[in-house]
């Protein structure tokens, strides 16, 4: 692991690090914010999974999460959204290939050799961070934006006990029936739609739900509402009697201005769960 | 109008009053909390509509709303849930007739002569209260529990501009397809289901929504979830992109212990709207 940069930030440190990922078969870069409290011992962790076209860097600089993570003494992890490098398959479209890993383990060519983002986020990167930083992986929460909200929600539901809490900003909520989903899931997982179910938040909510609290924020003027399908998730959460809150925020769009506006609430929500309040 | 009782309460006054209602053709009783600020001039108003079997009295004594209304300087109105008196038709069932007016204007015998609760809540009682108390009807919010949540939501959507905000605790959300609804709507309005649509929150949400914020709390262990149908409303709100928050509260049932737990949030929510915050 090598250090790309470290900056003092809200009394703690915002770092960027790179490492050779066996899972993805390439060098991967991630951001990690450690609050001041990490100097005294391991701190709880909040994962932030980013959306289409993003790297580790967008949320780290635009979501305003460090403000609140410092207040609550929580670390933030900002992974990349796909494998990277010249050897890695790509597509000309913004929503397939690099920057669009969709948080799945690809089984299809040409994606399978590197596009293993599910395992990267849930196994490879936690192991690396646990070995190198003062974090307490017994206390993890997960959140994300758009494609990252999809990743956060599917991981939280499929790994019971792993995350104490999950939230999402404008998640891709029902990809198996959306153009944000069918294209990527068929490319990465193949045409057999039964393999997609494990990567569809609405279907997972109908099937199992999450054993903990959920917070969803969705902008009411989001330009991608037809692709995100929040109504499917809202219904599934209520039908499941899922502990949680679904908020439609009037006038907000899909941007980081929306994300940053409600970040305080999300970090406080995770802090309550991570500190057992 | 006559005064039944007045008690000092959180620096203001909790009163109970009775009046002859032309609309209902009988004497009607209601509770009214006026905060201390009402001594200096008109204050904003929050309506609280009660559920099946309740009178004006249940929420007044069990919901804990005066605590927070006093803090925000807001009046609370607690109407009865049906016409009353020996001349008024009734049914042996708890969910039809007295205590079960369902906030509609009945058109069918034997209910039509007295069961005019829509007009009573939206016309008769506001006029009376405006003439006798220091309230500002330019600033009204409305909430309710169960059948009262149904009343609050249907009134808010069908009277645009009247209420700045609407909230509900475990509302009967889709009565036209529920045993809490089909029985009462057919009795009061007749077999023609087209007349029911104006009294079904989910159908009104699909059709028009509400021009302001909505807050819904639903207990996850509510014993009447199958009758309330919160999933239909959650989906309709998200599909409409309705500004608002839908919360599934883990472990809470249908009782006033649930209502009182979240009353602080609801009064604060209405206060924000009533004071233009």
């Amino acid at each position: 692991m090598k250090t790309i940069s470290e900056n003092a930030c809200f009394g703690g440190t915002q770092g960027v690090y790179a490492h050779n990922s066996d899972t993805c078969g390439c060098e991967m870069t991630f951001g990690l914010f450690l609050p001041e409290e990490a100097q005294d011992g391991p701190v709880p962790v909040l994962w932030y999974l980013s959306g289409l076209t993003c790297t580790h860097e967008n949320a780290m600089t635009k979501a305003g999460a460090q403000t609140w993570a410092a207040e609550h003494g929580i670390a933030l992890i900002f992974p990349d959204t796909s494998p990277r490098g010249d050897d890695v398959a790509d597509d000309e479209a913004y929503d397939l290939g690099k920057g669009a890993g969709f948080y799945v383990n690809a089984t299809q060519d040409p994606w399978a050799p590197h596009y293993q983002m599910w395992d990267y986020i849930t196994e490879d990167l936690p192991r690396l961070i646990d070995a190198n930083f003062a974090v307490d992986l017994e206390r993890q929460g997960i959140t994300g934006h758009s494609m990252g909200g999809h990743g956060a929600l599917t991981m939280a539901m499929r790994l019971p006990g792993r995350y104490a809490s999950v939230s999402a900003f404008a998640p891709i909520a029902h990809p198996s029936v959306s153009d944000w989903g069918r294209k990527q899931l068929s490319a990465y997982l193949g045409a057999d739609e039964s393999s997609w179910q494990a990567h569809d938040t609405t279907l997972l909510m109908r099937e199992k739900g999450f054993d903990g609290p959920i917070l969803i924020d969705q902008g009411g003027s989001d330009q991608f509402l037809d692709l995100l399908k929040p109504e499917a998730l809202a219904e599934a959460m209520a039908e499941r009697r899922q502990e949680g809150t679904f908020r439609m925020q009037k006038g907000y769009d899909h941007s980081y201005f929306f994300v940053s506006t409600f970040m305080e609430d999300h970090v406080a929500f995770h802090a309550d769960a991570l500190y057992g309040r």
Side-chain angles (χ1 to χ4, degrees), chain A residues 7-148:
Chain A
N7 297 82
C9 182
F10 289 99
T13 303
Q14 176 61 59
V16 176
Y17 309 94
H19 66 118
N20 289 312
S21 165
D22 289 340
T23 302
C24 291
C26 63
E27 184 176 89
M28 295 291 284
T29 305
F30 63 95
L32 173 72
F33 170 75
L34 284 179
E36 190 171 14
E37 287 82 350
Q39 297 171 15
D40 301 323
V43 296
V45 166
L46 177 59
W47 293 81
Y48 182 98
L49 305 188
S50 291
L52 290 166
T53 75
C54 289
T55 68
H56 67 282
E57 195 262 353
N58 305 64
M60 199 182 89
T61 56
K62 297 198 292 183
Q66 296 93 339
T67 319
W68 316 111
E71 184 171 306
H72 294 285
I74 293 173
L76 297 169
I77 307 175
F78 302 99
D80 205 346
T81 59
S82 75
R84 301 285 176 177
D86 293 341
D87 297 339
V88 172
D90 199 7
D91 189 275
E92 289 184 0
Y94 76 99
D95 59 357
L96 191 67
K98 293 180 188 174
F102 239 74
Y103 304 103
V104 303
N105 293 331
T107 58
Q108 308 295 305
D109 285 330
W111 313 106
H114 299 284
Y115 284 79
Q116 301 293 318
M117 290 301 293
W118 180 278
D119 283 353
Y120 175 70
I121 301 290
T122 63
E123 297 182 15
D124 197 354
L125 190 53
R127 200 160 45 225
L128 180 85
I129 289 175
D130 190 38
N132 289 279
F133 300 97
V135 296
D136 176 9
L137 296 191
E138 296 298 307
R139 291 182 290 169
Q140 298 184 73
I142 191 165
T143 187
H145 175 222
S146 196
M147 178 182 75

Side-chain angles (χ1 to χ4, degrees), chain A residues 166-182:
Chain A
V166 58
S167 74
F169 302 84
I172 296 176
H174 199 7
S176 65
V177 301
S178 169
D179 286 344
W180 272 359
R182 297 188 62 82

